Amino acid sequence: MGIQVVERTFAVLDALSGTDDEIRLGELAVRTTLPKSTLSRILATLTDLDVVARGAADGSYRLGPRARLLAGPGSFEEVLVRAARPELRRLVADLDEDLGLGVPDGHHVRYVDQVRSHRPVRIRDYVGERMPAHSTAAGLILLADLDEEEFAAYLSHPLDAYGPGTPIDPQALGAAVDEVRNTGRAWTFEAWADGINGAAVGIRSATGQLLAVINVFGPSYRFPGDRDRGQLGARLAAAADEITHRQTI
Amino acid sequence: MGIQVVERTFAVLDALSGTDDEIRLGELAVRTTLPKSTLSRILATLTDLDVVARGAADGSYRLGPRARLLAGPGSFEEVLVRAARPELRRLVADLDEDLGLGVPDGHHVRYVDQVRSHRPVRIRDYVGERMPAHSTAAGLILLADLDEEEFAAYLSHPLDAYGPGTPIDPQALGAAVDEVRNTGRAWTFEAWADGINGAAVGIRSATGQLLAVINVFGPSYRFPGDRDRGQLGARLAAAADEITHRQTI
DNA sequence: ACGATAGTTCCGTATTGTGGAACAGAGTAC
DNA sequence: GTACTCTGTTCCACAATACGGAACTATCGT
């Protein structure tokens, strides 16, 4: 496809990102499936370039200062929020319900923006908070994006209940995730809290990578209410596509 | 030296960073001194990986979402750096020594900004790096903020030496931390490296939570030199208070 | 229609990156 | 003290990947 060693380099950087922990070379070899000699050579080059830094322990690595410099003006989330906001506002105007913008954060979903409807009965502000993936609609989208091994790792942790509708049975969660994989949409009914339902779709890059999630929430007595779920899902997907389009052109 | 095409790849990414503008291939060829066919191939791979994105005009490129994902979520830090920078610059102008802005990062302190004095003899760039708390002045501020249990947990790890003055004896470290608790200031003498001394104070939110640390460092032969430590500490504390005030948390 | 310029693709070549083997160092068990 | 295991690093013969100039395509100005 492209330049092999450049693809490998970013696979290594991916393995190092998403955590501030130091990762040992052997663990990186497992995560990237590269021979240790190959990995050692790539890491040596990246260390010389300050993209990667040696950790405190021998043979351990982490992202270096130059990786951060690549982020440029504004964090990823600020750029995402700026790109998504206009479309999220239109969506709120259409649906007249609150919605949040979530990003993956380990086994959690973290909300980086929230757009409010004009309704007097609202969902409180969740920006900055992280919820376990199985407890929100946005989180189900993230879980559906995991491969089998990653999903099994998620299931190895206890599935705590957060609301009466939280899927705490691994098989129930697996079924819910399968449905998300099939339909591209996630629905929750009092999974996070009493009286709150949710719907979500993923926002992807032009090459299909999951970047963020649109999550609509509302009180159970009116959301989704008698709305046509197919139409609602299609509207969310259209908004997500529009955000994808805006980001990569 | 390292892997040629990896070095070239980061030269390309450097040429694209620092701006939201789209840059044409010909201009990138000039900036990187690479042949256009080589450049085109590297850019094609980076575009496939979402590290780079095609611009609106043919043949123009800009950093893509994945470059930003490498930087990780850092919006708190960027807000902090923006808020602190003017006051840190004034402080550097007053003291004529380099200083860093550190944040807690597990049992480490991570430097998120560095402001340079005009001195020809300087301390190297530590932005993005994490040091064990007991090895820097900023870290002693963090340790002083821990409760007894947390501090005992820190002591359960080996206290490695990083410089001739690193407190590696648990009792010596405990005494140093007690002094920080009493005075609100931390002083180190060659704790991190040969020939480097440090002084630090914490930046707190309006409710008293420790957010970050101002850490001045300088070569031992001139810092703190014959400065009055009481006055120096008071100046650092005043700067920290000013930053707290500006944040209006 | 023609020329200039920019960006893309092609393809023969050789230089570069590969990865298994060998090595060095550290930690552990006896 | 010795032997063994494990981890990370270095070496080096070799294969194949990346190279870059040439050729090509598209666009624009005259």
Side-chain angles (χ1 to χ4, degrees), chain B:
Chain B
M1 112 120 97
I3 300 171
Q4 184 186 47
V5 67
V6 174
E7 291 171 348
R8 288 174 158 187
T9 295
F10 282 92
V12 171
L13 292 175
D14 281 347
L16 286 166
S17 68
T19 179
D20 274 331
D21 291 343
E22 298 165 3
I23 304 179
R24 299 185 69 80
L25 183 133
E27 176 60 24
L28 283 171
V30 168
R31 293 186 188 190
T32 60
T33 67
L34 291 171
K36 289 195 290 179
S37 53
T38 303
L39 191 53
S40 190
R41 194 176 49 254
I42 291 174
L43 285 165
T45 300
L46 293 174
T47 303
D48 287 343
L49 295 171
D50 272 333
V51 178
V52 154
R54 298 295 293 255
D58 276 350
S60 69
Y61 296 88
R62 55 184 169 77
L63 285 181
R66 200 168 175 190
R68 294 185 167 91
L69 281 168
L70 284 177
S75 55
F76 160 73
E77 289 165 16
E78 280 154 354
V79 169
L80 173 68
V81 166
R82 228 173 2 251
R85 258 300 180 108
E87 187 59 29
L88 295 184
R89 284 198 173 106
R90 283 191 282 275
L91 192 55
V92 164
D94 270 8
L95 304 182
D96 203 14
E97 291 292 357
D98 295 337
L99 68 77
L101 186 65
V103 295
D105 187 348
H107 279 169
H108 292 73
V109 54
R110 178 159 49 82
Y111 288 92
V112 296
D113 198 15
Q114 190 151 327
V115 183
R116 298 305 193 84
S117 72
H118 290 92
R119 301 263 202 176
V121 176
R122 294 174 166 182
I123 306 306
R124 72 166 176 84
D125 191 359
Y126 286 104
V127 170
E129 287 187 43
R130 313 158 71 236
M131 282 88 137
H134 68 288
S135 67
T136 73
L140 294 184
I141 298 287
L142 304 187
L143 291 178
D145 205 56
L146 299 180
D147 62 25
E148 293 296 302
E149 193 176 346
E150 290 170 325
F151 186 58
Y154 188 88
L155 291 179
S156 73
H157 294 84
L159 298 176
D160 294 332
Y162 293 87
T166 315
I168 58 179
D169 174 48
Q171 286 192 339
L173 181 58
V177 165
D178 281 343
E179 186 182 340
V180 173
R181 286 188 176 124
N182 289 335
T183 63
R185 291 103 198 234
W187 301 89
T188 55
F189 302 91
E190 296 187 293
W192 168 245
D194 249 309
I196 297 182
N197 291 343
V201 295
I203 298 170
R204 292 181 183 274
S205 72
T207 57
Q209 181 191 341
L210 185 66
L211 298 176
V213 184
I214 296 173
N215 194 150
V216 184
F217 7 69
S220 305
Y221 67 84
R222 79 181 187 222
F223 182 82
D226 56 7
R227 287 184 174 89
D228 182 287
R229 285 207 210 162
Q231 288 183 344
L232 178 56
R235 181 65 187 92
L236 295 185
D241 287 345
E242 180 60 22
I243 294 167
T244 297
H245 182 70
R246 272 177 141 263
Q247 288 227 47
T248 64
I249 291 173

Side-chain angles (χ1 to χ4, degrees), chain A residues 190-211:
Chain A
E190 301 187 286
W192 169 245
D194 250 310
I196 297 183
N197 293 342
V201 295
I203 298 171
R204 293 180 182 273
S205 73
T207 57
Q209 183 192 338
L210 185 66
L211 298 176

